[in-house]
Amino acid sequence: FLREPARSSRLRAANCELGIANSSVLARLPAGSSRPVTELTTGYTPHPARHLRQLGRGANRRLSQSFLTAPAIAEAMVRAAEVDSNDTVLEIGPGLGVLTRPLVRDAGRVVSIELDRSLAEGLPGAVGTPANLTVIHGDALSTDLRELVTEPYKVVASLPYHVASPILFKLVFEPPTPARIVVMLQLEVAERLAPRDGAHTFLGTAFSLVAEANLVRKVAAGSFFPAPKVQSAIVRFDLRPTPVVPVGDVRGLVDFVRAGFAQPRKQLHNSLARGLGIEASAAQVLILEAGVRPMARPSELELTDWTGLYGAWRRATA
């Protein structure tokens, strides 16, 4: 259990106004918990600027905090995930609870991981202290998710943009594996994960191995506070029961593809040589053995091409 940190009188007063209790965020909220009923616990969602003022604080830019201001966007994410009362949902970076509110309304159980301690402590009261909410103060990247959720479960989250990719890699390539993921991402990253122009990227190739990614909708910067300098998008991933191509070592193939995209604008033999730390001539031998077009660039390869190259690489290094 977490110890209660020292707080300023201003923050304590704000917590009283918001209905936030001084309890450990590692404990599941008991059914029937009593909290002062405020506008935050009756379905009304205040603007993040006002909410933060009441808490006596601002956004933490070191944590890339940018809070969703539009409940309609949160509702769109919940609909995209097709959340129902049978679902356990993992939320990462709940912030002020704009997305948490519809999640606890529709899901059977919600587990929210928040790195910002004061926001983690304030989240239960901000969304009405529902009995089906568990809030964890911690770093999602270092938290063992197997202690929090079991398969099948879903992930619905507005991810901190500076750690979105490593969090997604953890969710998709480490157990426990979710059945579906719906996340808010920086638009540039979203378009790499779900490219629509036929060009392949490292992220798109890696994730397509085990999931189908679709861009649900774009989200304007004005839908957040503080407004980020980039556009955003909602992406849905449906995890496959088995990889789309036969491969024994999924992580090994993903690492190989990463090496192959070391210099994505150059021809494959140069990019692969740089990523693997081998001579370009040795890379050309791998390419010929795998039957891949010698002048191709990484963005032109299909998953079957990468599988063939990886097989040639493993045989060469066995």
Side-chain angles (χ1 to χ4, degrees), residues 235-246:
V235 179
R236 168 172 160 163
F237 300 87
D238 289 287
L239 280 292
R240 309 181 194 277
T242 57
V244 72
V245 293

Side-chain angles (χ1 to χ4, degrees), residues 256 260 266-273 276 278-298 301 305-306 308-313 315-316:
F256 182 83
K266 292 195 173 185
Q267 291 182 0
L268 180 61
H269 67 279
N270 288 319
S271 184
L272 199 56
L276 294 176
I278 61 178
E279 295 294 329
S281 58
Q284 287 176 325
V285 171
L286 293 176
I287 292 169
L288 290 173
E289 183 181 340
V292 176
R293 186 164 56 88
M295 304 299 287
R297 286 177 168 77
L301 269 63
D305 297 323
W306 289 110
L309 281 166
Y310 181 54
W313 168 248
R315 288 190 295 273

Side-chain angles (χ1 to χ4, degrees), residues 211-239:
E212 179 182 355
N214 289 284
L215 197 154
V216 176
R217 62 172 291 178
K218 297 179 181 179
V219 180
S223 297
F224 300 87
F225 175 85
K229 297 179 180 180
V230 297
Q231 298 296 302
S232 303
I234 300 169
V235 179
R236 168 172 160 163
F237 300 87
D238 289 287
L239 280 292

Side-chain angles (χ1 to χ4, degrees), residues 31-102:
S33 296
S34 60
R35 294 287 193 274
V37 178
T38 72
E39 63 187 13
L40 293 179
T41 62
T42 58
Y44 172 76
T45 303
H47 190 279
R50 181 185 178 191
H51 196 155
L52 290 168
R53 284 197 302 271
Q54 290 174 311
L55 292 172
R57 55 164 294 170
N60 187 329
R61 296 192 179 277
R62 183 180 62 83
L63 299 180
S64 299
Q65 287 181 347
S66 190
F67 303 104
L68 191 61
T69 63
I73 301 296
E75 295 285 356
M77 295 180 70
V78 175
R79 287 195 302 272
E82 300 180 26
V83 174
D84 63 36
S85 60
N86 296 315
D87 290 328
T88 293
V89 177
L90 175 66
E91 182 187 20
I92 297 171
L96 298 172
V98 173
L99 178 57
T100 313
R101 189 186 301 276

